[in-house]
């Protein structure tokens, strides 16, 4: 498998990769919000790059998402959590070296935009020992400046405003300040990876296919070759921290598209057994009850019924810290047309 080439931030820093908006005076009330989507999605202009199913953050000290083991295909889609749970809207992670943050702040201070009060406050903070001196350049090789990231798609979420602190320094191997609960952890990486999970389309195999008869049991099953576990890994390379989130199919829910139908089993929930969901129809099974399927009791007339097949995926995570566990199950479904005809009897 191709390996993502990754460089330390001091080597790859560029004007295109570094978001200047984090230090604008207009953003100071919510200081730390860079307005970018550098967390779970990336600026592909960064030297870390994007390709081979791997996406890197716009600043190389940020989060890297590896989707090379994700579900693929034009019909693949994101799972919907079965609870109201959502990944974090914002978080703090390493973003700048001492040299990078100094360059940005001096550029802003040299412009006409900042107010005197804002300039004084930030000069005191970064330079004059309240609490940092000279951007911590005397410790340039011993840590990173951490700043806020906003998860893609959550920019308008009020929760994204929770990460409104000034950038802060964390020594290499050290812990972020205790009063920064949004500081990145292995579990938060797992949650960010969850948001990037993509699973195959739930297009079930049917027998008879597409067109069936009234009162004839229709067998349903999934192609087990396509429905295997998928995973996404989120990491912070400069911390040596990563988490892998895995989605594994566990059941298939059949909704016939009409009340005039019977499902097998009665609940319509087909569980995975012996590594497969449902059972392919084989010659000689016409008189058997399918372990997963549907029987329509009324013709669809000149149209069709919208059979909905929804797969439930069990979501779990592991990490380089040894931590791991379960996250809320996710579902993903699709509709397909089923034509139901009356059985024609010819009297001679």
């Amino acid at each position: 498998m191709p390996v993502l080439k990754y460089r330390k931030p001091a080597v790859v820093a560029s004007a295109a990769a570094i978001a200047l908006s984090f230090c604008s005076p207009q953003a100071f009330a919510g200081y730390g919000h860079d307005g970018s989507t550098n967390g779970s999605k990336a600026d592909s202009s960064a030297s870390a790059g994007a390709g081979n199913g791997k996406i890197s953050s716009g600043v190389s000290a940020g989060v890297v998402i590896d989707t090379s083991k994700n579900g693929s295909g034009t019909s693949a889609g994101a799972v919907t959590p079965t609870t109201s749970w959502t990944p974090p809207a914002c978080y703090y992670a390493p973003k700048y070296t001492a040299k990078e943050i100094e360059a940005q702040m001096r550029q802003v201070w040299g412009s006409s935009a900042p107010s005197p009060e804002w300039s004084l406050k930030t000069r005191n903070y970064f330079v004059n020992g309240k609490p940092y001196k000279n951007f911590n350049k005397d410790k340039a090789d011993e840590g990173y400046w951490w700043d806020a990231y906003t998860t893609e798609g959550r920019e308008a979420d009020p929760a994204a405003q929770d990460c409104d602190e000034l950038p802060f320094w964390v020594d290499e191997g050290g812990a972020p300040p205790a009063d920064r609960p949004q500081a990145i952890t292995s579990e938060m990486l797992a949650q960010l990876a969850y948001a990037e999970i993509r699973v195959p389309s739930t297009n079930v195999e049917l027998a008879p296919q597409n067109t069936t008869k009234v009162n004839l049991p229709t067998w349903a099953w999934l192609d087990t070759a396509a429905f295997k576990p998928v995973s996404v890994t989120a990491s912070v390379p400069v911390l040596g921290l990563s988490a892998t989130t895995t989605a594994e199919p566990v059941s298939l829910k059949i909704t016939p598209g009409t009340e005039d139908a019977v499902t097998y089993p009665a609940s319509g929930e087909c569980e995975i057994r012996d590594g497969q969901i449902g059972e392919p129809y084989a010659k000689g099974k016409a008189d058997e009850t399918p372990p997963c399927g549907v029987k329509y009791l009324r013709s669809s007339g000149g149209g069709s019924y919208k059979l909905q097949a929804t797969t439930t995926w069990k979501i779990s995570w592991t990490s380089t810290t040894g931590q791991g566990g379960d996250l809320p199950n996710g579902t993903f479904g699709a509709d397909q047309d089923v034509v139901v005809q009356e059985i024609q009897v010819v009297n001679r």
Side-chain angles (χ1 to χ4, degrees):
M1 182 180 67
V3 176
L4 177 66
K5 293 183 179 179
Y6 199 87
R7 302 178 183 176
K8 283 195 173 280
V11 178
V12 301
S14 69
I18 301 174
L20 290 173
S21 59
F22 92 99
C23 51
S24 68
Q26 293 82 0
F28 186 70
Y31 198 99
H33 291 280
D34 61 357
S36 70
T37 57
N38 286 338
S40 57
K41 284 289 186 181
D43 177 356
S44 60
S45 67
S47 297
N52 299 320
K54 298 183 178 184
I55 305 173
S56 69
S57 68
V59 176
S60 60
V63 173
V64 175
I65 303 291
D66 179 355
T67 61
S68 61
K69 296 181 180 179
N70 213 355
S72 59
T74 57
S75 299
V79 295
T80 301
T82 55
T83 69
S84 59
W85 172 90
T86 60
C90 69
Y91 54 92
Y92 295 106
K95 188 180 272 190
Y96 305 107
T97 64
K99 182 179 179 180
E100 288 170 349
I101 204 165
E102 178 188 18
Q104 292 180 71
M105 292 309 302
R106 293 199 183 283
Q107 181 177 341
V108 174
W109 291 333
S111 71
S112 59
S115 67
E117 294 80 12
W118 186 88
S119 294
L120 178 60
K121 184 179 182 73
T122 52
R123 284 182 186 276
N124 284 338
Y125 184 83
F126 289 109
V127 180
N128 298 330
K130 297 180 180 181
Y132 302 105
K133 290 185 177 181
N134 199 23
F135 301 100
N136 259 19
K137 287 195 297 181
D138 61 329
K139 303 175 69 175
D141 297 326
E142 301 174 18
Y144 292 96
W145 285 94
W146 289 41
D147 199 7
Y149 291 81
T150 302
T151 304
E152 185 181 16
R154 305 289 295 279
E155 294 83 5
D157 190 326
Q161 304 304 313
D162 291 342
C163 302
D164 59 357
E165 299 290 340
L166 288 156
F168 52 91
W169 181 268
V170 179
D171 289 334
E172 188 172 347
D179 60 352
R180 305 290 194 278
Q182 301 88 359
I184 199 71
T185 63
S186 59
E187 184 170 4
M188 292 172 70
L189 285 173
Q191 294 172 355
L192 293 173
Y194 185 119
E196 299 301 320
I197 287 283
R198 298 293 180 268
V199 297
S201 171
T202 310
N203 189 21
V204 296
E205 302 286 342
L206 299 174
Q209 185 177 9
N210 300 327
T211 300
T212 187
K213 306 294 184 182
V214 172
N215 293 321
L216 176 67
T218 299
W219 293 56
W221 68 95
L222 288 175
D223 180 1
T224 54
F227 280 79
K228 293 182 178 180
V230 299
S231 65
V232 172
T233 297
S235 61
V236 183
V238 298
L239 299 181
L241 181 67
S242 70
T244 297
T245 300
T246 301
E248 181 179 2
V250 292
S251 65
L252 172 70
K253 175 75 173 182
I254 297 290
T255 304
T258 174
E259 294 182 356
D260 296 315
V262 174
T263 57
Y264 306 103
S267 65
E269 193 84 20
C270 307
E271 297 183 354
I272 189 167
R273 294 181 179 177
D274 300 325
Q276 66 179 21
I277 298 179
E279 181 182 330
Y281 176 78
K283 187 176 180 180
K285 293 184 177 181
D287 294 330
E288 296 182 19
T289 298
C292 181
V294 61
K295 179 172 71 176
Y296 288 96
L297 307 179
R298 188 184 298 273
S299 165
S300 59
S304 62
Y305 293 124
K306 289 285 186 184
L307 180 146
Q308 184 179 64
T310 302
T311 305
T312 295
W313 297 77
K314 176 179 173 59
I315 313 292
S316 60
W317 66 282
T318 58
S319 71
T320 50
T321 65
Q323 295 176 300
D326 294 329
L327 292 170
N329 286 352
T331 61
F332 184 66
D335 294 339
Q336 55 196 96
D337 293 324
V338 178
V339 175
V340 182
Q341 299 175 338
E342 295 281 0
I343 298 176
Q344 300 297 320
V345 178
V346 179
N347 296 318
R348 296 183 181 277

